[in-house]
Amino acid sequence: MLQTVWVSSPGSWALPESNHRRQGKKRSWKCRFVRTIIQHPCRRHAPKRSREARMLRKIQICLCFCFVSGILYEISLLSGCVFSYLPVAQQYLTPEQVLNLGKSIIFLETTERLEPPPLVSCSVESAARIYQDRPIILFMRGLTNETALDLNTSYAAFSLLSSMKNVFIFPLQMETVFQETPLLEWYNQVVPEQEKNWVHVSSDASRLALIWKYGGIYMDTDVISIRPIPQQSFLAAQKSRFSSNGIFGFPARHKFVWDCMENFVLKYNGNIWGNQGPFLMTRMLKTLCNLTDFQGTEDHSCQNISFLNPQRFYPIPYPAWSRYYQVWDKSPSFNHSYALHLWNFMNRNRKVVVAGSNTLAEKLYKTYCPTTYEDLVQNAKHRHLPDSEDIE
């Protein structure tokens, strides 16, 4: 017979014995974390208890079971036991439930596309491998409850990402994201169709709101993670005295992020690319500190914010972005880097990783997102296979 027993962290309830027992004698039950074992049935010749005592005992056991089950559920979430790809159907976890676990790694797709290209898949996969104890969340603007129903069958990249137990994919619902932030009024007034840089501006706003509400790390979808970031509150220097917003991290409700949202609205100009992004982060950081040039690979500290050296994420600066798609005689070690930004915005010729090309980007794929790379190799093979009707 299967029975539940408690095996850790004692807490006790004292239950009175029936009147057949000596007065004052009590039986103590230990409430502990639950596991299921094979156990013999209770002996049937135990003396009968009063109806009230039996009822009380049943209630207490039920309450204990519910309490411990809740604890185990939370522990299983935090330990990654139930991390999996979960679409937006009601029977699965909601974005809030996942985000409230804290320490999420957040990616955004603010276009309407539903098939993440290999670089996006690599960014998400590399983060999932480096941060195995943290939820990795990809928010997609084009995703809805209806489109989520058959993602695994319609889009290969979703099947690939679904194999990663700590990856979650959710719709990006901006009106919900901006609730209780200074950005909501701006969002209700702006006309996306008239915005020159709406894809970028809406992404700049969404990342601020999500990190302010829930905390964690935001990463662009062209960032390949190579080792954990040790800092909790940080901005990434793109160069001396200039901050990017392609990757940053803060605890929930951090004042700096709130101030950035207020300045976003106050100084809004959607016609200037980056005005609500890296330029925003830089001007807000300058209100706190006198920024100086970096020397070597040291990081700077601005009050309670780490301003991380350009080597941490941008060892190859944006003017040299194409070097990621070139063959190197000796590949760099990136020993001082936590992640690598591949500057996809600069990649207007749409250079891609080609299997067998031996470029630096291909080597990064092989090392940090091998599942994505294997899928890329398989797709290349299928493209070169002749059609069955051409085979004699």
Side-chain angles (χ1 to χ4, degrees):
M1 174 178 178
L2 289 178
Q3 293 211 344
T4 299
V5 296
W6 316 101
V7 295
S8 180
S9 299
S12 65
W13 286 269
L15 299 178
E17 292 285 343
S18 70
N19 294 332
H20 297 287
R21 298 285 185 178
R22 288 177 298 178
Q23 270 193 331
K25 184 176 180 182
K26 297 180 180 180
R27 177 174 295 179
S28 178
W29 284 78
K30 303 295 184 180
C31 179
R32 303 163 180 244
F33 288 134
V34 86
R35 71 177 177 185
T36 301
I37 64 172
I38 302 297
Q39 189 178 39
H40 292 294
C42 298
R43 291 177 296 176
R44 299 185 182 279
H45 61 267
K48 293 184 178 179
R49 300 174 181 275
S50 68
R51 179 178 299 176
E52 293 79 9
R54 290 198 304 272
M55 183 62 68
L56 178 60
R57 177 179 170 182
K58 289 178 181 178
I59 292 173
Q60 290 174 324
I61 291 174
C62 288
L63 289 174
C64 184
F65 179 83
C66 293
F67 174 74
V68 174
S69 295
I71 292 177
L72 285 175
Y73 178 72
E74 294 297 331
I75 291 174
S76 69
L77 288 177
L78 293 173
S79 65
C81 293
V82 298
F83 281 159
S84 62
Y85 161 64
L86 298 175
V88 295
Q90 291 183 355
Q91 64 265 37
Y92 294 111
L93 294 175
T94 66
E96 290 75 18
Q97 288 173 320
V98 178
L99 288 162
N100 282 330
L101 295 174
K103 297 186 176 181
S104 297
I105 311 295
I106 297 173
F107 295 90
L108 295 174
E109 175 59 74
T110 52
T111 71
E112 295 292 329
R113 68 184 176 188
L114 284 172
E115 176 68 352
L119 182 53
V120 174
S121 177
C122 184
S123 297
V124 175
E125 179 186 348
S126 64
R129 291 178 180 275
I130 295 298
Y131 303 94
Q132 296 185 23
D133 60 337
R134 301 174 72 162
I136 313 299
I137 306 176
L138 173 60
F139 284 99
M140 301 188 71
R141 178 66 175 167
L143 189 62
T144 66
N145 288 338
E146 289 71 28
T147 56
L149 296 178
D150 62 343
L151 288 177
N152 281 333
T153 58
S154 302
Y155 302 100
F158 285 94
S159 295
L160 186 155
L161 294 175
S162 70
S163 66
M164 304 166 202
K165 294 184 177 180
N166 57 333
V167 173
F168 298 79
I169 303 177
F170 293 120
L172 177 60
Q173 299 171 331
M174 292 186 189
E175 186 170 355
T176 300
V177 168
F178 297 143
Q179 292 292 331
E180 302 177 4
T181 76
L183 297 169
L184 182 61
E185 183 177 358
W186 160 80
Y187 180 72
N188 288 334
Q189 294 176 354
V190 74
V191 181
E193 294 77 15
Q194 298 177 4
E195 291 291 323
K196 177 182 177 181
N197 297 299
W198 179 247
V199 168
H200 303 287
V201 168
S202 60
S203 178
D204 292 336
S206 298
R207 68 189 70 176
L208 287 171
L210 285 166
I211 293 299
W212 182 79
K213 282 186 172 183
Y214 303 104
I217 296 174
Y218 167 81
M219 293 184 183
D220 277 350
T221 52
D222 56 350
V223 171
I224 298 178
S225 297
I226 62 177
R227 56 178 57 89
I229 302 169
Q231 290 83 359
Q232 187 178 20
S233 300
F234 71 90
L235 294 173
Q238 184 173 313
K239 60 183 180 180
S240 287
R241 309 189 191 200
F242 188 80
S243 176
S244 77
N245 76 329
I247 181 168
F248 61 93
F250 287 94
R253 302 301 200 266
H254 197 284
K255 184 178 184 301
F256 178 80
V257 184
W258 180 268
D259 292 342
C260 284
M261 291 190 292
E262 289 189 327
N263 190 271
F264 183 107
V265 177
L266 182 65
K267 299 290 183 68
Y268 182 72
N269 186 338
N271 293 320
I272 302 176
W273 185 91
N275 187 64
Q276 324 309 133
F279 294 108
L280 166 66
M281 292 295 202
T282 302
R283 64 178 177 260
M284 294 305 297
L285 191 61
K286 286 181 177 179
T287 65
L288 299 180
C289 307
N290 180 27
L291 302 182
T292 59
D293 291 339
F294 287 95
Q295 303 296 328
T297 58
E298 88 286 2
D299 298 320
H300 290 173
S301 180
C302 182
Q303 296 190 22
N304 65 342
I305 301 171
S306 296
F307 191 40
L308 301 185
N309 193 286
Q311 287 294 314
R312 303 291 179 244
F313 307 104
Y314 305 102
I316 296 179
Y318 76 89
W321 68 270
S322 62
R323 298 201 66 191
Y324 279 114
Y325 298 93
Q326 296 174 0
V327 178
W328 292 52
D329 293 333
K330 182 180 179 181
S331 297
S333 63
F334 299 118
N335 287 335
H336 301 292
S337 301
Y338 302 135
L340 303 173
H341 193 285
L342 268 61
W343 302 107
N344 196 52
F345 179 71
M346 303 294 296
N347 189 2
R348 294 182 176 87
N349 293 327
R350 292 293 173 256
K351 293 180 180 293
V352 296
V353 170
V354 177
S357 62
N358 203 36
T359 60
L360 177 58
E362 184 192 16
K363 292 180 179 180
L364 293 174
Y365 274 44
K366 285 182 177 180
T367 304
Y368 301 107
C369 55
T371 304
T372 297
Y373 181 74
E374 182 60 29
D375 185 68
L376 186 149
V377 171
Q378 293 300 321
N379 289 337
K381 288 180 180 178
H382 291 320
R383 283 195 298 270
H384 290 91
L385 286 175
D387 294 336
S388 57
E389 60 187 24
D390 295 332
I391 300 175
E392 296 293 341

